[in-house]
Amino acid sequence: MDTRFSNFLKRINSKVVKIAVVGLGYVGLPLALEFAKKGIKVQGVDIDTGRLRNIRNKKSYITDVSDKELRHVLARGKLSASSDFSKIKEVDVVFICVPTPLRRKYLPDVSYIKQAVIAIAKNINPFSAPLIILESTTYPGTTEEVILPILEKDGLKHNQDFYLCFSPERIDPGNKLYPLNKIPKIIGGITQEAGILAASVYRIIVDKVVPVSTARTAETAKLLENTFRLVNIGLIDELAQMAHKMKINIWEVIEAAKTKPFGFMPFYPGPGCGGHCIPKDPLYLYWEARHHEFKPRFIKLASDITNRMPEYVVCRLEQALAERNAKLERAKILVVGVTYKKDIKDLRKSPSLDIIDILKKRNVKASYFDPLIPYLKIGRINLKSIDLTIPNLNKFHCVIIAVDHSSIDYNFILKNSKLIFDTHNIYKGKKDKRIILL
């Protein structure tokens, strides 16, 4: 090992390095905060003026970061934020935490990664030979085949002027049982040296690191985790539809099955699959596999099933109303919960939004209630959250429980509603003809 590498490793282990986090979203800001709390000086870089304004005003916009925590590290001078990429010249480690959406259903969009890397490449200080770590979820080969050539385009050399590594983010927003520091970090370096450096950096903030042989292995591991979840969610969603046809309570079936102490893991049906990972990440693997003349059938099938769940919910709703001599087009529907999961302020790919959109396309009078989201202005949807009062509930022909927020009084809803479509088994065990289970 050369002297530069050895000195870099010593500085990391002594916690005298400076860090930059590019992209201060749901991954980047909690990551920056963890390092800042450990006394590491962190430079945040983001082009979103709203985020930068919030940080200047000491206001958190991320569920897992409190205003108090943010104020503390800002006051100590351990965290600063800017849109200026030239500040990267002053740091030793650069994390890339930018979005990786899908341009179309099966087409990955790595343009945000490319833009960030181009800006980083212009500001690398080869005398400090920084470590660059991609955390954004992407398809296998991105780190080595996309990022590395950009960084080496103007003559910089890996393992000499910089080090490159992939370590997938594993943040689960709102999960208090597994905060960032309790989630093991997978690390795949382009070289052994890059992996060693990255492992030492992450050991500053996490309890366990898991080195793997290559960046491609680390990239695929992340996609396997989310594909596992998508396939099992798709399976249970399909079984829920089958069980309904067979007049079987799928929720009771799951409860019975999960008493087996081995060989089974419970998954639960719902109105669709939302969030930043599950609906999107497996399709990165699907896209890359097709470039190798392999078509992963499970991934596409599971994606198709979960994508159709909002339509299925509306179809079941229409059937339930018809059985009660009511027409969907003449009904007033209340959707309870519009975030993609319980107890967080996150609307990304929320199935509730799809349900409302489908209802609006059919000219149904749809309203919503969500204690975390006071208004919606997305696409065709422009609504304010209603007040959950007795007169308001009495107006609706049906209430759809689309998200199971902990703070909602479900007994109050049941007491004052004509019909409830429960997509989360909130009313487990209750015998009431007004309750319809998914």
Side-chain angles (χ1 to χ4, degrees):
M1 295 184 184
D2 63 30
T3 304
R4 176 181 283 191
F5 171 82
S6 299
N7 290 338
F8 194 175
L9 188 58
K10 286 177 183 176
R11 286 190 292 116
I12 292 171
N13 292 333
S14 300
K15 300 181 184 179
V16 293
V17 289
K18 294 180 181 178
I19 284 173
V21 177
V22 178
L24 297 172
Y26 77 95
V27 173
L29 187 60
L31 183 69
L33 181 72
E34 282 302 312
F35 279 108
K37 283 160 64 176
K38 294 294 184 180
I40 305 293
K41 193 166 184 179
V42 182
Q43 174 64 56
V45 181
D46 203 304
I47 59 173
D48 188 314
T49 56
R51 288 177 179 174
L52 296 177
R53 183 172 56 252
N54 274 308
I55 291 173
R56 281 197 304 271
N57 293 333
K58 302 172 185 176
K59 286 282 186 182
S60 176
Y61 45 90
I62 301 296
T63 303
D64 297 324
V65 175
S66 69
D67 290 348
K68 182 180 178 180
E69 288 177 310
L70 186 60
R71 284 195 302 268
H72 180 65
V73 294
L74 288 170
R76 291 174 60 210
K78 295 302 179 182
L79 175 65
S80 57
S82 168
S83 60
D84 185 2
F85 274 84
S86 69
K87 293 186 179 294
I88 287 171
K89 293 175 182 177
E90 305 166 10
V91 306
D92 305 286
V93 183
V94 182
F95 292 92
I96 303 171
C97 307
V98 296
T100 49
L102 288 169
R103 219 176 306 164
R104 295 194 297 275
K105 189 174 182 182
Y106 302 118
L107 184 61
D109 181 358
V110 294
S111 61
Y112 293 97
I113 292 177
K114 288 180 178 179
Q115 290 166 18
V117 175
I118 289 169
I120 290 166
K122 291 177 181 177
N123 292 284
I124 284 180
N125 181 353
F127 294 104
S128 65
L131 169 64
I132 300 166
I133 303 173
L134 175 64
E135 285 215 355
S136 305
T137 305
T138 186
Y139 60 86
T142 302
T143 307
E144 191 169 1
E145 297 166 9
V146 177
I147 296 177
L148 184 59
I150 294 173
L151 294 172
E152 291 189 328
K153 183 181 177 183
D154 294 323
L156 296 174
K157 295 296 180 184
H158 187 264
N159 256 38
Q160 179 179 310
D161 302 310
F162 67 92
Y163 301 89
L164 181 60
C165 181
F166 179 79
S167 180
E169 61 87 6
R170 282 173 150 180
I171 287 178
D172 184 16
N175 190 331
K176 298 188 185 305
L177 186 61
Y178 290 105
L180 190 152
N181 64 312
K182 297 296 181 185
I183 304 171
K185 286 294 292 180
I186 296 173
I187 295 162
I190 294 296
T191 59
Q192 183 182 13
E193 290 84 354
I196 292 170
L197 292 172
S200 295
V201 169
Y202 280 115
R203 285 191 183 101
I204 297 172
I205 62 166
V206 300
D207 294 344
K208 183 178 180 180
V209 298
V210 185
V212 294
S213 59
T214 64
R216 192 184 294 265
T217 301
E219 290 162 341
T220 309
K222 168 65 175 181
L223 298 180
L224 171 59
E225 293 168 15
N226 289 338
T227 300
F228 170 83
R229 292 175 64 191
L230 176 68
V231 168
N232 280 282
I233 291 168
L235 171 64
I236 201 64
D237 281 343
E238 186 170 61
L239 288 175
Q241 296 176 46
M242 180 191 73
H244 172 67
K245 291 281 188 183
M246 298 169 69
K247 301 189 186 312
I248 297 169
N249 184 326
I250 190 63
W251 304 95
E252 187 179 2
V253 170
I254 296 168
E255 289 301 304
K258 77 177 189 180
T259 60
K260 184 180 181 182
F262 55 90
F264 181 80
M265 177 183 292
F267 282 79
Y268 300 92
C273 190
H276 57 284
C277 287
I278 309 304
K280 165 185 69 71
D281 294 354
L283 297 178
Y284 270 64
L285 190 56
Y286 177 83
W287 178 84
E288 178 65 11
R290 296 195 69 177
H291 281 72
H292 294 268
E293 299 182 355
F294 183 84
K295 186 176 181 180
R297 289 170 291 173
F298 268 122
I299 294 176
K300 185 176 186 302
L301 179 60
S303 179
D304 289 344
I305 291 170
T306 56
N307 285 335
R308 283 198 296 264
M309 285 307 290
E311 192 74 54
Y312 174 73
V313 167
V314 174
C315 180
R316 285 280 308 279
L317 173 64
E318 185 172 27
Q319 291 171 359
L321 290 171
E323 289 169 2
R324 291 159 178 78
N325 299 315
K327 288 189 175 182
L328 178 64
E329 285 75 9
R330 295 179 184 174
K332 292 180 180 178
I333 307 299
L334 175 64
V335 176
V336 173
V338 293
T339 58
Y340 89 82
K341 64 182 287 191
K342 66 186 292 184
D343 301 338
I344 65 166
K345 299 177 182 179
D346 199 329
L347 296 168
R348 284 172 296 178
K349 296 188 179 296
S350 169
S352 299
L353 303 182
D354 291 330
I355 291 169
I356 294 172
D357 195 50
I358 293 166
L359 291 172
K360 284 194 161 292
K361 281 180 184 176
R362 297 190 59 174
N363 296 316
V364 178
K365 292 181 180 178
S367 302
Y368 86 93
F369 167 75
D370 194 307
L372 304 179
I373 309 294
Y375 67 91
L376 284 175
K377 197 169 185 181
I378 302 174
R380 282 183 289 263
I381 304 172
N382 189 356
L383 297 169
K384 288 184 178 180
S385 178
I386 70 159
D387 293 326
L388 210 59
T389 63
I390 293 173
N392 278 345
L393 284 171
N394 287 340
K395 289 189 297 187
F396 294 102
H397 294 82
C398 185
V399 175
I400 301 174
I401 308 295
V403 183
D404 51 338
H405 288 311
S406 302
S407 61
I408 295 174
D409 188 343
Y410 295 102
N411 287 326
F412 179 79
I413 293 175
L414 177 59
K415 187 177 179 181
N416 297 288
S417 299
K418 298 171 185 174
L419 185 66
I420 296 173
F421 190 176
D422 181 1
T423 71
H424 286 279
N425 202 27
I426 285 293
Y427 297 105
K428 175 183 176 181
K430 284 191 180 292
K431 302 294 183 183
D432 193 312
K433 292 182 179 180
R434 294 174 299 159
I435 299 172
I436 305 164
L437 290 177
L438 183 66

